[in-house]
């Protein structure tokens, strides 16, 4: 009997278990299929080795037993993400303090007509904790990465369709991505991920998914017309004063960017900018739901940066502090009445930049056709670079992605290399690249290729006519700005006062933006000078390219403020009574100086601003704006115990610079 048990009965029981587990883990690892011996020929020694292998796999994979539902909570236990199967469909939901942020929503992909996200068994790993801090160049200079993390393996309906969901839960939100083991080349034709938001939320959205330059609309989610594209970030004011949420993405590499599509209900469907073709294992970008109890928490959310790849130390040995990366302000002729891009006019702009203490001059479209007897555009540009350098002003140049006006575009990889090399030889500091207008897989690769090749030539980059940022500036510290915002180039009838109180809490959640702030032109007459100066402080852009004519600036009372406003920040605090579309009150610190910026919409109002961000130290104040409060506090000693009352007219603003006494 014992011999029968050992040779026949026990092998017949354990043979299928061994086979399933080994095939499952080999499939996940992408290994070749194999065959085990039949139960009748399975020796006790082979049985023992196989069972030991199962124990080893279980012990090292951290996988738990099969479940139908798996919940992972944030480090502070307030945010919870649950992944579960319901009627054979893979879904997830997100709660914050027990209140719904995302209602049950679909997960999955279509890859080569195979649907990942149905009839799978869930095998979650052990939950681990991540806690890091890293240098950053956004709303603050040090970012925090604190999350719980788990991997959920999903057993597919068909053999070889096993795949993985990575999920991380922060105190500030939830992120997940899909990883599918694959041999050979495959195409992702559709992502099935959806976001079903609370129906009574207030949604802030815009529909330009090429250049991300639309005007924002406030509506109930279900009021957004079926089929309407919705660009990211998609900001929500949650019902019953539960706070705020925003849908975004991060680590978009070798993939296409995503936007949402309205369904006519409170569900929004993920939509990719074209098919994605990959070779080998597939990894999607992170899908992010950030959560903030207030606008300060929403603006200071670090999830996009944390989930993006860190910079290559071979290219950026000191990260953001790499010697040749120098954020700063720039003059720019393009939006002025004297916009001519000629060598003579560009020398004048460098002269004025020097007088304004502005370190850069951006030379826009047109320089590529400069010619003089015996000189081509590069020789003339070199003369401008040398002339400007003598005044401590450096030159940025404009270039197009497509062919433009008879000049080759940087989409040509060979030309891109030679163009960047010429720029470095000429002494150019940075390049503004324009007209991408896409986030397809091929365009995403161009952004990375351009950033990499520019870094090899020690050039900074500003992407204009571009898709939304999604953490690229962490990977590529030489990316100093990216447009993807309706800025002052739209010299039209945009409702600038309202628009400017919306985008700090929508578009700028994704990262820096080249709005080209500050203008005194007629088209911004709906705003005051203080409002215009406040946009320089509020809208993050390490390459802070100004729309104002520097000749006008030299005669303006705003000049002392413009001279002192930096383009990078150590800390940001959003203050009450900030409200999306109504008023934005933001304090930002650089070194020991604090800068207060207030942007008002078209409705006049009186507000009280707490100065608690100053702490207990005593500061002197230099204000710009409301004449009454300006006369009361100018030069006076002020501390964090104070509040200041500000009267704001339609389109008004307020600026104050606080320096330690």
């Amino acid at each position: 009997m014992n011999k029968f048990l050992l040779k026949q009965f026990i092998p017949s029981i354990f043979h299928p278990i061994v086979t399933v587990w080994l095939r499952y883990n080999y499939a996940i690892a992408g290994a070749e299929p194999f065959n085990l011996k039949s139960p009748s020929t399975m020796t006790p020694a082979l049985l023992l080795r196989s069972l030991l292998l199962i124990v080893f796999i279980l012990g090292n994979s951290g996988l738990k037993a099969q479940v139908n539902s798996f919940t992972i909570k944030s480090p502070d236990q307030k945010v919870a993400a649950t992944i579960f199967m319901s009627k054979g469909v893979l879904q997830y939901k997100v709660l914050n303090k027990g209140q719904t942020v995302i209602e049950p929503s679909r997960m999955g992909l279509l890859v080569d007509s195979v649907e990942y996200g149905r009839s799978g068994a869930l095998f979650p790993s052990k939950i681990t904790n991540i806690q890091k801090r890293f240098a950053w160049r956004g709303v603050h200079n040090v970012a925090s990465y604190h999350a719980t993390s788990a991997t959920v393996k999903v057993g597919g309906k068909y053999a070889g369709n096993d795949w993985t969901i990575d999920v991380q839960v922060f105190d500030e939100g939830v992120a997940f991505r899909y990883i599918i083991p694959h041999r050979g080349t495959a195409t992702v034709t559709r992502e099935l991920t959806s976001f079903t938001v609370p129906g009574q939320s207030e949604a802030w959205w815009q529909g330009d998914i090429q250049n991300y330059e639309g005007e924002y609309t406030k509506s109930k989610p279900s009021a957004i017309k079926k089929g309407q594209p919705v660009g990211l970030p998609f900001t929500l004011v949650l019902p019953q004063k539960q706070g705020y949420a925003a849908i975004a993405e991060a680590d978009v590499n070798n993939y296409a960017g995503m936007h949402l599509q309205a369904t006519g209900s409170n569900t929004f469907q993920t939509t990719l900018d074209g098919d994605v073709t990959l070779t080998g294992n597939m990894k999607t970008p992170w899908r992010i739901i950030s959560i903030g109890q207030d606008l300060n928490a929403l603006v200071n959310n670090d999830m996009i940066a944390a989930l993006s790849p860190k910079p290559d130390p071979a290219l950026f040995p000191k990260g953001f502090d790499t010697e040749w990366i120098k954020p700063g302000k720039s003059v720019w002729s393009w939006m002025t009445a004297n916009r001519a891009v000629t060598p003579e006019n560009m020398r004048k702009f460098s002269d004025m930049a020097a007088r304004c203490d502005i370190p850069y001059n951006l030379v826009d479209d047109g320089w590529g056709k400069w010619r003089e007897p015996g000189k081509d555009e590069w020789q003339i540009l070199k003369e401008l670079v040398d002339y400007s350098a003598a005044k401590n002003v450096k030159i940025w140049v404009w270039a197009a992605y497509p062919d433009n006006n008879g000049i080759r575009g940087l989409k040509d990889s060979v030309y891109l290399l030679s163009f960047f090399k010429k720029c470095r030889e000429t002494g150019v500091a940075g390049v503004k690249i324009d007209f991408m207008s896409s986030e397809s897989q091929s365009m995403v690769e161009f952004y990375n290729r351009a950033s990499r090749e520019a870094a090899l030539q020690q050039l900074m980059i500003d992407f204009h006519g571009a898709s939304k940022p999604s953490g690229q500036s962490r990977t590529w510290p030489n990316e100093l700005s990216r447009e993807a915002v309706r800025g002052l180039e739209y010299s039209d009838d945009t409702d600038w006062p309202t628009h400017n109180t919306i985008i700090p809490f929508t578009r700028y959640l994704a990262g820096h933006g080249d709005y080209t702030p500050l203008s005194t032109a007629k088209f911004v007459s709906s705003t005051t000078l203080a409002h215009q100066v406040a946009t320089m402080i509020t809208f993050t852009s390490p390459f802070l390219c100004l729309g104002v004519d520097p000749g006008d600036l030299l005669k303006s009372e705003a000049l002392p403020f413009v001279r002192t406003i930096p383009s990078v920040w150590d800390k940001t605090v959003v203050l009450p009574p900030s409200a999306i579309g109504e008023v934005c009150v933001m304090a930002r610190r650089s070194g020991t100086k604090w800068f207060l910026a207030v942007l008002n919409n078209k409705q006049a109002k009186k507000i009280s601003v707490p100065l608690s961000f100053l702490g207990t130290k005593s500061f002197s104040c230099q204000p710009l704006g409301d004449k009454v409060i300006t006369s009361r506090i100018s030069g006076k000693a002020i501390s964090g115990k104070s509040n200041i009352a500000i009267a704001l007219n339609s389109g008004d603003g307020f600026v104050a610079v606080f320096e330690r006494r």
Side-chain angles (χ1 to χ4, degrees):
M1 180 62 181
N2 289 340
K3 187 178 292 186
F4 170 76
L5 286 172
L6 188 62
K7 288 191 174 183
Q8 298 292 331
F9 183 67
I10 293 177
S12 67
I13 292 175
F14 282 102
H15 179 271
I17 298 174
V18 173
T19 302
V20 168
W21 267 101
L22 292 181
R23 284 181 175 164
Y24 176 79
N25 282 277
Y26 270 64
I28 290 294
E32 294 295 327
F34 64 94
N35 292 309
L36 289 177
K37 296 181 178 182
S38 66
S40 61
T41 59
M42 195 173 190
T43 66
L46 179 58
L47 171 63
L48 180 59
R49 287 197 300 270
S50 300
L51 291 174
L52 288 173
L53 181 57
I54 292 175
V55 172
F56 175 79
I57 291 169
L58 285 169
N60 284 277
S61 68
L63 290 179
K64 297 180 180 179
Q66 176 181 335
V67 296
N68 290 321
S69 176
F70 171 68
T71 297
I72 175 172
K73 293 186 176 181
S74 59
D76 67 3
Q77 300 294 298
K78 294 178 181 178
V79 180
T82 300
I83 298 173
F84 60 99
M85 283 287 178
S86 177
K87 298 179 180 179
V89 177
L90 184 64
Q91 300 188 51
Y92 75 101
K93 63 182 180 180
V94 176
L95 302 179
N96 180 37
K97 297 180 182 178
Q99 301 298 313
T100 298
V101 178
I102 299 292
E103 297 177 2
S105 303
R106 282 212 63 181
M107 303 182 92
L109 299 168
L110 272 180
V111 182
D112 284 346
S113 301
V114 175
E115 182 175 338
Y116 290 79
R118 282 190 181 273
S119 304
L122 305 181
F123 297 89
S125 71
K126 294 178 182 177
I127 296 172
T128 59
N129 187 67
I130 301 169
Q131 189 162 13
K132 303 176 184 177
R133 289 167 67 83
F134 57 91
W136 182 227
R137 192 183 59 209
V139 292
H140 36 242
N141 63 353
V142 177
S144 175
Y145 185 179
H146 190 196
T148 53
S149 177
T151 297
V152 180
K153 291 187 177 180
V154 185
K157 183 177 181 180
Y158 306 103
N161 283 358
D162 303 312
W163 56 295
T164 300
I165 304 168
D166 282 349
V167 58
Q168 294 190 13
V169 182
F170 298 66
D171 294 343
E172 305 84 15
V174 172
F176 58 86
R177 65 179 177 183
Y178 309 134
I179 300 175
I180 299 178
H182 197 277
R183 291 186 295 276
T185 299
T187 300
V188 180
T189 54
R190 185 182 171 199
E191 186 165 332
L192 303 174
T193 308
S194 65
F195 301 84
T196 302
V197 304
Q200 295 305 306
S201 300
E202 181 181 275
W204 290 89
W205 62 278
Q206 65 85 32
D208 180 356
I209 57 170
Q210 299 300 316
N211 293 308
Y212 286 79
E213 297 174 7
E215 294 186 73
Y216 282 82
T217 299
K218 178 180 74 171
S219 63
K220 292 296 182 186
S222 60
I224 303 175
K225 185 179 178 181
K226 182 178 181 180
Q228 170 66 51
V230 175
L232 301 183
F234 179 43
T235 299
L236 300 163
V237 183
L238 298 172
Q240 300 175 352
K241 297 183 179 180
Q242 295 170 25
Y244 302 83
I247 298 169
E249 65 176 337
D251 192 10
V252 184
N253 287 293
N254 195 26
Y255 211 80
M258 90 170 198
H259 62 272
L260 302 178
Q261 188 173 73
T263 65
S265 67
N266 57 325
T267 296
F268 294 83
Q269 180 62 48
T270 293
T271 306
L272 301 178
D273 190 358
D275 291 349
V276 174
T277 300
L278 298 169
T279 300
N281 292 345
M282 297 182 177
K283 180 175 71 174
T284 72
W286 290 96
R287 280 54 184 108
I288 294 174
I289 304 101
S290 62
I291 301 169
Q293 195 59 42
D294 54 29
L295 289 173
N296 183 54
L298 191 69
V299 166
N300 279 282
N301 190 295
D302 288 327
M303 291 176 66
I304 292 176
L307 294 167
S308 298
K310 60 186 179 181
D312 181 351
L315 291 173
F316 308 102
K318 295 183 180 179
F320 295 109
D321 294 325
T322 299
E323 287 82 354
W324 52 271
I325 299 174
K326 301 292 185 184
K329 299 183 286 285
S330 180
V331 298
W332 182 42
S333 73
W334 198 255
M335 281 177 50
T336 72
N338 188 22
R339 69 183 291 176
V341 182
T342 63
E344 180 183 12
N345 200 38
M346 292 301 96
R347 285 193 292 270
K348 290 179 181 178
F349 269 75
S350 289
D351 290 341
M352 291 186 287
R355 292 175 62 192
C356 294
D357 295 328
I358 291 175
Y360 295 117
N361 177 12
L362 170 59
V363 180
D364 214 282
D365 185 16
W367 72 271
K369 291 196 172 183
W370 285 352
R371 298 291 185 276
E372 292 178 4
K375 298 177 184 177
D376 66 10
E377 70 273 27
W378 291 103
Q379 291 167 307
I380 301 170
L381 180 63
K382 181 68 167 70
E383 291 176 351
L384 174 64
V385 167
D386 293 343
Y387 175 88
S388 303
K391 299 175 179 291
N392 293 317
V393 174
K394 294 184 178 181
I395 299 296
W396 282 62
V397 296
W398 181 94
Y401 168 77
D403 296 345
N404 180 68
N405 291 331
I407 298 174
R408 291 167 69 186
L410 300 186
K411 67 179 182 179
D412 182 324
S413 298
V414 175
Y415 178 67
L416 180 143
L417 297 178
S418 65
F419 179 86
F420 284 166
K421 186 176 180 182
K422 277 279 195 180
C423 285
R424 183 177 186 181
E425 291 170 350
T426 307
V428 166
V431 181
K432 174 182 174 180
I433 306 176
D434 209 343
F435 300 146
M436 282 73 64
S437 304
S438 169
E439 51 188 345
S440 65
Q441 183 181 18
S442 61
M443 192 60 73
V444 166
E445 174 51 32
F446 170 77
Y447 290 130
N448 287 334
R449 182 170 68 252
S451 299
R452 183 187 311 109
E453 297 301 335
L456 289 170
Q457 299 301 328
Q458 299 188 357
L459 295 170
M460 295 174 283
I461 294 290
D462 171 20
F463 288 114
H464 214 65
S467 61
K468 66 185 182 297
S470 51
Q472 293 90 343
S473 60
R474 185 185 182 198
T475 308
W476 307 107
N478 60 327
E479 183 189 306
L480 264 63
S481 200
R482 181 181 285 236
E483 190 180 21
V485 64
R486 191 179 190 87
L488 293 187
E489 273 197 291
Y490 279 85
S491 52
D492 58 12
D493 59 354
T494 295
D495 177 1
W496 295 111
T498 304
H499 179 71
N500 293 345
T501 62
I502 296 171
I503 57 178
F505 312 116
T506 52
R507 158 60 181 84
Y508 279 92
L509 300 180
H512 55 213
D514 189 13
Y515 176 99
T516 61
L518 185 58
S519 177
T520 57
K522 184 177 180 181
F523 74 90
V524 295
S525 60
S526 59
T527 65
T528 64
L529 179 63
H531 184 113
Q532 286 294 310
V533 175
T535 62
M536 289 181 60
I537 298 168
T538 306
F539 303 152
T540 302
S541 183
F543 177 61
L544 193 57
C545 184
L546 304 181
V548 70
D549 187 322
D552 294 338
L553 182 59
L554 284 165
K555 297 176 286 188
S556 172
E557 63 177 313
L559 180 59
F561 295 90
V562 173
R563 279 179 167 151
T564 193
I565 292 170
S567 64
V568 293
W569 302 99
D570 297 329
K571 188 174 182 179
T572 298
V573 182
V574 179
L575 297 164
S578 294
I580 304 175
E582 297 180 22
V583 64
C584 174
V585 184
M586 187 178 287
R588 311 193 81 169
R589 181 174 61 80
S590 175
T592 59
K593 283 186 183 180
W594 279 96
F595 297 76
L596 176 66
V598 179
L599 298 170
N600 189 37
N601 68 3
K602 293 189 294 185
Q603 280 71 51
K605 56 180 67 74
K606 293 181 179 180
I607 64 172
S608 179
V609 177
L611 303 183
S612 53
F613 57 89
L614 294 176
T616 59
K617 305 290 186 186
S618 179
F619 288 78
S620 62
C621 175
Q622 186 62 41
L624 174 69
D626 178 350
K627 299 299 183 184
V628 175
I629 190 63
T630 293
S631 64
R632 289 178 183 171
I633 66 176
S634 182
K636 303 289 178 63
I638 293 178
S639 74
K641 296 179 181 179
S642 305
N643 282 39
I644 55 174
I646 305 171
L648 297 167
N649 295 319
S650 174
D652 209 349
F654 184 81
V655 171
V657 183
F658 298 90
E659 295 190 68
R660 290 275 296 275
R661 294 176 70 89

